[in-house]
Amino acid sequence: MKFSIVVAVDLELGIGKNNSLPWRLPGDMKFFKNLTSTAAEGKRNAVIMGRKTWESLPSKSKPLPNRLNIVVSTQSDYQLPEDVLLADSLEKALELAEAESSVDHTFVIGGAQIYETAIDDPNLDKIYLTEVYGSFDCDKFFPEYEDDFKVVSKSDAQFENEVEYTFIILEPNWIR
Ligand SMILES: NC(=O)c1ccc[n+]([C@@H]2O[C@H](COP(=O)([O-])OP(=O)(O)OC[C@H]3O[C@@H](n4cnc5c(N)ncnc54)[C@H](OP(=O)(O)O)[C@@H]3O)[C@@H](O)[C@H]2O)c1
């Protein structure tokens, strides 16, 4: 099934530090929530994340509401709330999302390890990339992507907490 990546990167492609987001950008959080929650009537979207990203979410905001949450982990006994699905690979997670007839769009929402797999997947349709114009001393990074993807849209500059950022949509160059 086709899916999208959603990610925010700094100028070094940094995405995280100490298993947390390196910046506080409420406008980007709002964008993420709207994008991943907006589905056709009677449907909901799926969000697929690595185990460490799941653990990094504040307990009050997980599972992400109104979305099918799927966590990827090789630990077959990893404990999750009843309504959250566990998959042992990205491929399996995509299959679980596809098997749910109520799922509209599917988003891979991080972190670094799962992006590494997702970016090479032929079913990857779009990258929703928030480009943050700063350097945040990150310890986790998004893969190099520029040769394989083209920009199809770019928002006006946003400013928040003295940080400038833009919302970019990329599509793969490869022919399907
Ligand atoms: N800026 C952004 O947009 C953004 C978005 C999301 C996350 N982040 C940040 O990214 C960082 C976390 O990234 P991370 O790379 O450390 O962790 P991650 O990708 O969230 O989780 C890694 C874990 O997920 C499982 N996993 C990932 N890919 C797998 C695969 N293909 N097959 C099977 N299992 C797989 C493994 O779990 P097991 O070890 O249990 O097997 C692995 O240890 C945090 O700092 C977070 O804040 C940033």
Side-chain angles (χ1 to χ4, degrees), residues 6-10 14-23 28 32 49-57 71-76 78 86-91 108-118 128 130 139-142:
V6 194
V7 64
V9 301
D10 76 0
I15 64 161
K17 190 176 178 183
N18 300 328
N19 209 31
S20 161
L21 288 177
W23 43 70
D28 185 50
F32 173 85
M49 70 199 92
R51 191 257 307 163
K52 291 183 184 170
T53 292
W54 167 261
E55 289 176 356
S56 78
L57 296 175
V71 175
V72 181
S73 169
T74 56
Q75 304 172 54
S76 57
Y78 189 70
L86 178 67
D88 62 7
S89 66
L90 174 62
E91 195 184 355
V108 171
I109 64 166
Q113 190 176 335
I114 202 145
Y115 288 143
E116 284 284 347
T117 313
Y128 293 91
T130 301
D139 58 19
K140 295 289 167 175
F141 295 86
F142 192 68

Side-chain angles (χ1 to χ4, degrees), residues 101-173:
S101 57
S102 63
V103 166
D104 193 10
H105 302 293
T106 298
F107 297 94
V108 171
I109 64 166
Q113 190 176 335
I114 202 145
Y115 288 143
E116 284 284 347
T117 313
I119 202 153
D120 290 328
D121 192 298
N123 291 310
L124 173 58
D125 202 30
K126 280 187 177 56
I127 303 177
Y128 293 91
L129 182 136
T130 301
E131 189 160 37
V132 183
Y133 298 105
S135 296
F136 291 81
D137 192 25
C138 292
D139 58 19
K140 295 289 167 175
F141 295 86
F142 192 68
E144 289 287 342
Y145 64 90
E146 285 183 333
D147 291 348
D148 297 324
F149 294 83
K150 58 178 182 291
V151 174
V152 294
S153 102
K154 186 167 184 171
S155 74
D156 292 337
Q158 319 284 309
F159 293 92
E160 223 169 21
N161 297 333
E162 299 181 351
V163 177
E164 180 182 349
Y165 62 98
T166 56
F167 299 116
I168 295 172
I169 302 176
L170 299 130
E171 287 179 356
N173 289 325

Side-chain angles (χ1 to χ4, degrees), residues 37-45 66 100-105:
S37 303
T38 306
E41 183 143 3
K43 297 209 163 201
R44 64 178 174 161
N45 297 327
N66 305 318
E100 288 262 344
S101 57
S102 63
V103 166
D104 193 10
H105 302 293

